[in-house]
Amino acid sequence: MSEKQNEAFLSVKDIEVIYTSGKKIVHAVNGVSFDMKRGETLGLVGETGAGKTTIARAILRILPDPPAIFKGGRIELDGVNLIDLTEEEMLKIRGDKIAMIFQDPMTALNPLMTVGDQILEVLQLHNKSESKEELIKRAGDMLELVNIPRERYGEYPHQFSGGMKQRVVIAMALACDPQLLLADEPTTALDVTIQAQVLDLIRELREKYQTSMILITHDLGVVAETCDKVAVIYAGEIVEYGDKRSIYKHTTHPYTIGLFDSLPDISVQANRLKPISGMPPDPTDLPEGCAFSPRCPYATEECRAAHPQLREIAPGHFVRCCLRGKEE
Ligand code: SF4
C-alpha cells in the first residue's frame, strides 16, 4: 500500500452542530471525530435522529443555515479544511470531489428534465473544456454503467421504477468520479427486493473506482456486507468506533449490543427480535453523564455522574463507556 493510501484522506475532528428551535437548542452532533483512508468505506450506524445525516451534510457543507449552526471542528479532505473554504470553492468540491446519494431519489431528480440531461448537467458543471457531444456520450456511458440502456437517455424520471431512479442518482453522483461518496440510507425508500440490487451496484462501482464512501444506515447487516470501518452514533456522538471485524467480533458498547440483538436472525426460527428498550434522549435536554444511561441495562451511579470519554480498548477499537471493555 502506498504512503498516500495510508494517510488520512478524510479527517473529521471534533465537529459540533446545533439546530435552533424557538428558544430550544437541539444538540445534533456533539464532538464527532473519525479518520478515513483513501478507498475505505465507513458505516455510520444508529437510530433515526442520532445525527448521522447531519454529519454528512456538515462534510458537504449543506446544512440549513439557520437553523443549523456549525459550532466548531475541522473537516479535512486531502489536507484541505473544508470549513475554511468559500461557498464558491465548495461548489467546485461538491459533485467533483464529494458526491451524495440521498435516501429518496425523487429529491435528487428534477421531474421536468430527462434523466440523460440531468447526468449531462453534472458533467457540464465540472468539465468546462469538453464538447457537448462528448459529454452526451459520457452521460450515456454513465447510464450503461448503472445498467440502464443509453436509449433511455431522453426519458423522464416518472418513466422509471424506484430502483431505476436510484440508479440514475448513482450515475449522477459518480459522473465526475468523486473521491468521496456520501450515501445516506440509499436503499431505504426502495422495495426490499430492489434494495440488494442497488447495494450490490454501489459496492461494485465503489470497488471499480476505489471511491471512499461513508454509508449511513440503521442496518448492521448492510454494514457487514459493505464497510471496512464502523462508527456507531448515539445522541450525536460516536459510542463505538473501529474496524468492522473488531466491532462485530468484540461488540462492547451496550447500545451496539442492543443494535445487534434487534437484528432478525433467520438461522434461529424461535428467535424473537429484542428491540432496545426506551427511546433516544431528547436532543434539547440530554441526560447528565452517559447519554445512553436511561436505556442501559448496566447503568450505575458512576455512569450518570460523568460523561464517558472514548477509550481505546484494543488497537483501533474505541468505546464510550465507563464500565464495559475495561476487562479486556
Ligand atoms: Fe451503560 Fe454506563 Fe456504559 Fe453508559 S457508561 S453505556 S450507562 S454501562
Side-chain angles (χ1 to χ4, degrees):
M1 189 176 273
S2 72
E3 218 170 89
K4 193 94 178 151
Q5 280 173 307
N6 256 328
E7 52 194 47
F9 160 64
L10 175 72
S11 172
V12 172
K13 287 259 173 302
D14 219 13
I15 59 166
E16 194 184 337
V17 181
I18 59 167
Y19 289 90
T20 49
S21 165
K23 284 194 177 142
K24 291 190 167 177
I25 292 176
V26 176
H27 297 276
V29 179
N30 307 310
V32 163
S33 304
F34 57 82
D35 282 341
M36 282 174 75
K37 290 189 197 121
R38 216 170 276 276
E40 254 183 351
T41 296
L42 169 75
L44 286 187
V45 191
E47 290 160 296
T48 305
K52 308 181 300 290
T53 300
T54 302
I55 294 168
R57 285 181 169 269
I59 293 170
L60 209 50
R61 295 234 338 241
I62 53 167
L63 289 166
D65 187 22
I69 300 171
F70 187 86
K71 290 279 283 177
R74 288 176 73 79
I75 299 169
E76 283 186 14
L77 184 76
D78 231 356
V80 175
N81 186 10
L82 301 183
I83 304 306
D84 291 341
L85 299 186
T86 62
E87 182 51 27
E88 204 178 319
E89 289 167 325
M90 262 325 278
L91 270 177
K92 288 192 196 128
I93 299 250
R94 286 186 208 115
D96 197 11
K97 288 198 165 175
I98 313 176
M100 185 150 176
I101 301 172
F102 293 91
Q103 198 175 106
D104 179 2
M106 280 321 285
T107 57
L109 292 174
N110 179 344
L112 304 175
M113 258 175 108
T114 69
V115 295
D117 280 350
Q118 296 191 53
I119 301 172
L120 176 67
E121 197 175 57
V122 178
L123 287 167
Q124 281 176 322
L125 208 63
H126 300 282
N127 297 278
K128 302 257 190 265
S129 58
E130 284 179 61
S131 71
K132 191 170 178 190
E133 289 65 37
E134 176 57 29
L135 294 179
I136 288 175
K137 184 182 165 297
R138 274 178 58 190
D141 293 344
M142 291 310 297
L143 279 176
E144 288 194 335
L145 187 73
V146 295
N147 306 321
I148 295 174
R150 62 172 67 232
E151 290 70 36
R152 299 197 66 178
Y153 183 108
E155 294 183 22
Y156 291 86
H158 74 267
Q159 293 171 281
F160 290 82
S161 66
M164 282 183 115
K165 280 199 265 272
Q166 193 59 306
R167 280 192 262 152
V168 173
V169 172
I170 293 168
M172 283 168 68
L174 294 176
C176 290
D177 194 12
Q179 296 167 355
L180 175 64
L181 190 60
L182 307 173
D184 187 3
E185 305 263 9
T187 58
T188 305
L190 305 177
D191 206 290
V192 182
T193 51
I194 307 298
Q195 288 184 358
Q197 286 176 20
V198 171
L199 272 174
D200 282 347
L201 179 69
I202 291 176
R203 262 196 300 271
E204 196 186 299
L205 295 175
R206 196 202 69 72
E207 272 165 32
K208 184 169 176 181
Y209 295 105
Q210 279 299 299
T211 316
S212 308
M213 178 165 82
I214 296 181
L215 176 68
I216 295 174
T217 180
H218 58 270
D219 188 338
L220 279 165
V222 169
V223 171
E225 288 173 21
T226 313
C227 301
D228 306 303
K229 273 179 166 177
V230 186
V232 181
I233 313 285
Y234 187 77
E237 49 183 24
I238 291 178
V239 295
E240 189 154 7
Y241 169 62
D243 181 72
K244 175 183 72 185
R245 250 171 266 145
S246 182
I247 303 252
Y248 278 61
K249 237 178 145 187
H250 305 288
T251 314
T252 302
H253 195 281
Y255 177 62
T256 320
I257 294 171
L259 286 180
F260 274 108
D261 285 347
S262 58
L263 274 179
D265 184 350
I266 51 169
S267 64
V268 186
Q269 281 203 343
N271 197 38
R272 300 274 307 270
L273 297 188
K274 282 197 282 172
I276 303 169
S277 65
M279 298 289 286
D282 176 355
T284 66
D285 184 21
L286 290 172
E288 295 281 315
C290 172
F292 190 58
S293 59
R295 304 171 78 183
C296 180
Y298 306 97
T300 65
E301 278 317 306
E302 186 188 351
C303 307
R304 295 179 194 99
H307 187 78
Q309 301 301 310
L310 269 184
R311 262 184 315 114
E312 192 168 18
I313 58 159
H317 185 162
F318 296 83
V319 176
R320 190 183 294 282
C321 176
C322 53
L323 302 180
R324 306 252 327 151
K326 282 191 170 164
E327 61 281 5
E328 262 112 323

